[in-house]
Amino acid sequence: MPLPDPHTAPRQFLQALYRTAVEHALPAHRLAAFLPTPPTQPGARTLVLGAGKASAAMAQALEAAWPQNVSLSGLVVTRYGHVPPRAALAAVSRIEVVEAAHPVPDAAGQVAAQRILDLTQGLTESDLVICLVSGGGSALLSLPAQWEGGRLQLHDKQRISRALLECGATIGEMNCVRKHLSAIKGGRLAAACAPARVVTLLISDVPGDDPSVIASGPTVPDPTTCAQALEILQRYAIAIPDALARRLQAGMLETPKPGAAVFARNAVHLIATPRQSLEAAAQAARAAGVAAYILSDEMEGESREVGRVHAALARAVAQHGQPFVRPCVLLSGGETTVTLRAQPVGVSRGRGGRAGEFCLGLAQTLQGQAGVYALAADTDGIDGVEDNAGAWVVPDTLARAQAQGMAVEDYLDRNDAYGYFLALGDLLITGPTFTNVNDFRAILVV
């Protein structure tokens, strides 16, 4: 289907690019080509385990492609509201899907993680385990670390998770900590599956597509250490129970490392990545006669600052035709961060996620630049914990806000991107997309 004209319908053009990127990463389009052959030994089982925002859609795609006459069972956990409707209601579900909280774990996630671990009991060399893993799995597989005579309590893990989300830690730092505070992540699920053959199918939501970072790598070796996890917690001044601190200090919560025998029969396949989705959007733009440039699929840093850098580049293109010639679209992905600012007594924090805060920084620096339109959105359809995927920035964004008495600086101070763009009618609301290849940003210069 042809894209809308970028000159007369710039917002619709950008939304079509977003939709193209998302559809390219849907499990229904990507998963079947990576499925292993079923085991042939008499009595052998195929067990499906998984976690993440896309895990329910991945399970449905697997069931649709798996032979009906071959044994299949399992359990996956996804975020509340992220179970897609079944295309064929007559189909009997062989993989159970349960829901839990994200980004802060809850008791439902803890129960699901324990059930997943329990299902690995009794596996043999003849059995096959297919693990379906996507972004969000870190929170959804919330089984706190255990030690002789005790364990980390869920309420402590919840508090630590909130602190990591609020302090501006990178996804790599957060997941290093999560792996060492878990009884199932950081390769421990793979260890529990041994001696069965394990095939992990991944949808990447992290810069660099490192399997050990995606959902905190439950089925792959972990190169990080207890000492690194403890250093991250100390650097961000995140308090932890004394019993946990002692065990991290002593290396007693270490994860399985590269070269460990438990990974000898494991295979890992990336079935969808941020770069692939950006390439699909770029191809669609070029087919519509618009030059497309992928700046990077690995961008990190403070969302507002990344927005300001993008704005400076877009202004250079609009004003000087450098380094790119108009019309063009600038695409980028990655996982930026939002550090929540402390507020005065009596002033509540705002609402919003990475995409919205990027748009605030972008709008502030663009200063109403003519001919520049932008859309930033999360490919899972949820920006942070709100109901929007992202937001728009157009040449009259600041002017319309100022006419309502809204100063962009005030909203940045409160981390209130949601409030700002809601008042302008410029939130993009899609609902859950049932995939997750992280941030999508597109800036059109015409």
Side-chain angles (χ1 to χ4, degrees):
M1 181 181 297
L3 268 63
D5 188 297
H7 298 277
T8 59
R11 289 168 60 121
Q12 292 84 346
F13 175 82
L14 290 173
Q15 187 165 353
L17 294 185
Y18 170 78
R19 188 164 54 247
T20 297
V22 168
E23 289 178 354
H24 188 81
L26 290 176
H29 300 159
R30 306 293 303 173
L31 186 136
F34 295 90
L35 284 179
T37 56
T40 57
Q41 297 90 334
R45 297 190 287 155
T46 298
L47 177 66
V48 178
L49 306 174
K53 297 176 188 174
S55 64
M58 295 172 80
Q60 289 188 13
L62 191 159
E63 281 199 46
W66 200 254
Q68 288 294 319
N69 62 342
V70 177
S71 172
L72 185 71
S73 64
L75 171 66
V76 302
V77 55
T78 192
R79 182 177 180 169
Y80 293 120
H82 283 247
V83 180
R86 290 192 173 272
L89 295 178
V92 176
S93 172
R94 294 181 280 175
I95 304 170
E96 183 182 356
V97 178
V98 297
E99 297 173 281
H102 177 279
V104 177
D106 68 355
Q110 181 172 334
V111 170
Q114 184 62 62
R115 288 185 62 199
I116 285 172
L117 208 56
D118 291 345
L119 286 172
T120 66
Q121 298 298 310
L123 289 169
T124 71
E125 292 185 355
S126 300
D127 296 325
L128 169 65
V129 180
I130 303 176
C131 291
L132 307 176
V133 179
S134 64
S138 292
L140 296 164
L141 283 176
S142 55
L143 191 61
Q146 304 175 39
W147 50 80
E148 185 176 351
R151 67 183 302 164
L152 180 65
Q153 297 301 309
L154 178 61
H155 64 83
D156 284 318
K157 193 163 187 180
Q158 291 171 324
R159 178 182 53 77
I160 294 167
S161 294
R162 290 191 188 94
L164 286 167
L165 290 165
E166 294 175 1
C167 72
T170 67
I171 186 62
E173 291 172 333
M174 286 193 284
N175 285 358
C176 172
V177 172
R178 287 163 164 166
K179 285 186 275 193
H180 291 90
L181 271 57
S182 172
I184 194 170
K185 297 191 279 285
R188 291 187 176 92
L189 179 57
C193 291
R197 180 165 60 108
V198 178
V199 175
T200 301
L201 305 183
L202 294 170
I203 293 181
S204 174
D205 73 326
V206 302
D209 305 326
D210 183 348
S212 73
V213 179
I214 301 166
S216 297
T219 61
V220 297
D222 176 31
T224 70
T225 66
C226 284
Q228 290 172 319
L230 185 58
E231 187 278 328
I232 291 165
L233 289 164
Q234 292 172 339
R235 176 154 38 92
Y236 288 108
I238 298 174
I240 59 175
D242 290 342
L244 175 62
R246 289 195 301 270
R247 283 161 176 79
L248 289 175
Q249 184 72 46
M252 297 170 64
L253 300 177
E254 205 48 270
T255 48
K257 299 300 178 215
V262 295
F263 302 111
R265 303 188 66 215
N266 290 14
V268 177
H269 302 288
L270 284 162
I271 71 168
T273 69
R275 183 79 188 190
Q276 292 168 352
S277 285
L278 291 175
E279 290 284 5
Q283 291 174 13
R286 292 167 188 148
V290 177
Y293 304 95
I294 299 175
L295 304 180
S296 174
D297 65 324
E298 299 184 28
M299 289 192 173
E300 297 183 84
E302 280 291 321
S303 295
R304 63 180 67 190
E305 300 302 331
V306 175
R308 288 166 180 152
V309 171
H310 280 64
L313 180 56
R315 282 173 63 86
V317 174
Q319 295 177 6
H320 309 294
Q322 293 290 337
F324 309 118
V325 177
R326 297 179 296 167
C328 67
V329 63
L330 311 179
L331 299 168
S332 71
E335 180 152 334
T336 57
T337 55
V338 175
T339 302
L340 295 183
R341 271 56 177 175
Q343 299 300 315
V345 176
V347 177
S348 60
R349 285 174 174 168
R351 302 165 61 191
R354 300 190 306 263
E357 186 130 336
F358 168 90
C359 287
L360 284 179
L362 182 77
Q364 183 186 45
T365 305
L366 280 175
Q367 287 296 305
Q369 175 64 54
V372 177
Y373 301 81
L375 171 64
D378 198 310
T379 52
D380 67 5
I382 305 295
D383 186 22
V385 296
E386 305 303 337
D387 61 358
N388 66 310
W392 305 92
V393 175
V394 295
D396 67 350
T397 293
L398 288 185
R400 286 185 291 123
Q402 290 165 358
Q404 296 186 41
M406 298 161 50
V408 67
E409 293 79 11
D410 293 341
Y411 285 80
L412 277 167
D413 287 343
R414 296 198 305 275
N415 300 108
D416 192 17
Y418 188 93
Y420 187 85
F421 291 106
L422 174 65
L424 297 177
D426 285 344
L427 293 175
L428 173 67
I429 298 177
T430 65
T433 64
F434 312 115
T435 190
N436 181 18
V437 286
N438 226 318
D439 300 342
F440 173 89
R441 296 178 288 268
I443 302 177
L444 173 66
V445 187
V446 293

